[in-house]
Amino acid sequence: MMKNVYLNHDGGVDDLVSLFLLLQMDDVELTGVGVIPADCYLEPAAYASRKIIDRFGHGKSVEVAASNSRGVNAFPKDWRMHAFYVDALPLLNEKGNIDAPLASIPAHEHLIQTLRKTENPTTLVFIGPLTDLARALAEAPDIEGKIEKLVWMGGTFLEVGNVEEPEHDGTAEWNAFWDPEAAKRVWDSSIVIDLVALESTNMVPLTLDVRQKWASQREDLGIDFLGQCYAMVPPLVHNQTNSTYFLWDVLTTATVGNEGLVKKRTVKSIVHDSGVSQGRTELSENGRKVNLVYEVYRDEFFEYVTELSRQG
Ligand code: AGV
Ligand code: CA
């Protein structure tokens, strides 16, 4: 059976690779794509998305909508630059023009419109902040009924998150930190949430052996694309730093194509929307239910991503 999927991403290397992967899944009908300028700049991220659809979308027509949402806590500029590098890849620019359509409405309205016009329920894949979903729910509460579930890369229940910023205590994950109020608003809905939090993404850092595997198979165009993308970001070599790259969003997307790659359990949680812990997700009996992805079959995951990327 075909699964309707709507993707909202924020233009990072692993966001754009996630879009590429969704386009390779036989049982996924990608109904639309929203791009939010959180961990990216909007223009190159929207261009890169459309070029990926053109080059790797197997002739499918998918509309891309640019978001006009703004965050509370800005991402570091050097991370946001990555979308420029992907957009400029010769592999995506051979053709010299773009065919994939750009929507004439902002991403949160595009989400509403797409959910309403899609006959069956849709799985939402959010691999950046939840701002566009929070705005869509505020404007059109009826869409809750059209959402199968939300799969979100965000949050953590570990003591240490991945935010290292002044005036913050370090307990949050970045997608939650960018717009903590949006996360709170989505928590207040009754949407089913699968949470791909740092518990599981910490198990899939970018490492040199993975890069080497992709390099050695670069004859294949899809695997070359993975290699080119992951050449732009720092791998884990000696020890982890604030800029070490993980396959956060790619793991999230892979769970949509293959649930067997991870283990989940239900927990109850709240979100802090202000103060020194803003963006922190915390276990609490008074919280709402989320399905926490807490473990990954690492080798199977990398194997799945590599094979899905193979074009030949
Ligand atoms: O917190 C993880 C999220 C994911 O959606 N993003 C990157 C992924 O796209 C923010 C982020 C945290 N640490 C980063 C990030 C880093 N070292 N480089 C770039 N982005
Ligand atoms: Ca992201």
Side-chain angles (χ1 to χ4, degrees):
M1 231 204 21
M2 288 299 271
K3 201 186 283 185
N4 294 319
V5 172
Y6 188 99
L7 174 70
N8 183 288
H9 75 74
D10 68 339
V13 162
D14 62 336
D15 292 84
L16 293 164
V17 170
S18 295
L19 167 59
F20 162 76
L21 292 172
L22 283 172
L23 291 165
Q24 313 314 311
M25 294 178 186
D26 288 336
D27 58 347
V28 164
E29 174 83 31
L30 189 60
T31 59
V33 176
V35 184
I36 182 167
D39 197 5
C40 71
Y41 290 92
L42 188 57
E43 206 171 76
Y47 279 138
S49 301
R50 295 163 66 204
K51 291 172 187 176
I52 289 167
I53 292 165
D54 280 2
R55 174 108 222 192
F56 293 111
H58 308 282
K60 290 172 227 175
S61 167
V62 182
E63 218 170 51
V64 173
S67 172
N68 58 7
S69 295
R70 293 285 174 269
V72 175
N73 300 295
F75 272 99
K77 179 182 173 186
D78 48 337
W79 296 354
R80 297 183 67 194
M81 292 297 289
H82 296 154
F84 282 103
Y85 316 147
V86 178
D87 180 45
L89 283 175
L91 186 57
L92 295 180
N93 288 280
E94 215 172 325
K95 184 158 71 102
N97 71 301
I98 304 182
D99 290 315
L102 181 69
S104 56
I105 50 176
H108 69 288
E109 283 174 20
H110 187 255
L111 174 60
I112 296 170
Q113 193 185 76
T114 307
L115 287 171
R116 282 180 176 161
K117 78 172 187 214
T118 303
E119 199 188 331
N120 292 316
T122 298
T123 296
L124 301 182
V125 178
F126 272 65
I127 49 182
L130 292 173
T131 318
D132 286 326
L133 177 55
R135 291 175 72 194
L137 288 169
E139 244 175 64
D142 61 286
I143 60 171
E144 262 200 47
K146 301 301 292 274
I147 299 169
E148 176 83 35
K149 66 172 174 180
L150 165 67
V151 183
W152 186 39
M153 191 286 123
T156 186
F157 303 108
L158 299 172
E159 265 169 51
V160 180
N162 64 4
V163 172
E164 291 184 17
E165 290 286 305
E167 302 186 332
H168 193 267
D169 66 6
T171 53
E173 178 282 329
W174 258 105
N175 288 339
F177 178 63
W178 194 76
D179 189 350
E181 290 150 16
K184 178 100 189 269
R185 270 179 275 149
V186 171
W187 249 238
D188 289 341
S189 74
S190 50
I191 298 170
V192 173
I193 301 179
D194 282 3
L195 200 64
V196 184
L198 299 180
E199 279 76 349
S200 55
T201 62
N202 279 346
M203 297 173 187
V204 289
L206 173 64
T207 51
L208 295 179
D209 61 310
V210 171
R211 264 205 190 148
Q212 184 53 44
K213 200 174 225 169
W214 291 336
S216 69
Q217 299 182 47
R218 68 177 290 266
E219 222 172 294
D220 183 279
L221 201 68
I223 297 174
D224 193 33
F225 179 66
L226 291 179
Q228 302 283 352
C229 284
Y230 280 102
M232 301 171 189
V233 290
L236 175 61
V237 185
H238 304 294
N239 65 306
Q240 193 178 316
T241 72
N242 187 36
S243 42
T244 302
Y245 219 83
F246 293 80
L247 278 81
W248 304 277
D249 299 349
V250 168
L251 175 61
T252 307
T253 307
T255 67
V256 175
N258 183 350
E259 284 208 60
L261 297 172
V262 294
K263 285 193 204 168
K264 284 185 252 184
R265 68 182 143 84
T266 305
V267 299
K268 283 184 170 181
S269 125
I270 56 159
V271 187
H272 295 251
D273 65 349
S274 63
V276 294
S277 305
Q278 60 185 277
R280 177 182 179 187
T281 45
E282 188 183 10
L283 297 176
S284 163
E285 267 314 307
N286 305 320
R288 66 111 76 213
K289 272 188 194 165
V290 296
N291 305 313
L292 172 69
V293 172
Y294 66 96
E295 187 148 17
V296 194
Y297 298 101
R298 187 185 176 279
D299 294 349
E300 284 81 354
F301 163 68
F302 281 105
E303 182 73 8
Y304 174 74
V305 169
T306 306
E307 289 315 310
L308 190 59
S309 301
R310 204 178 293 283
Q311 301 291 297

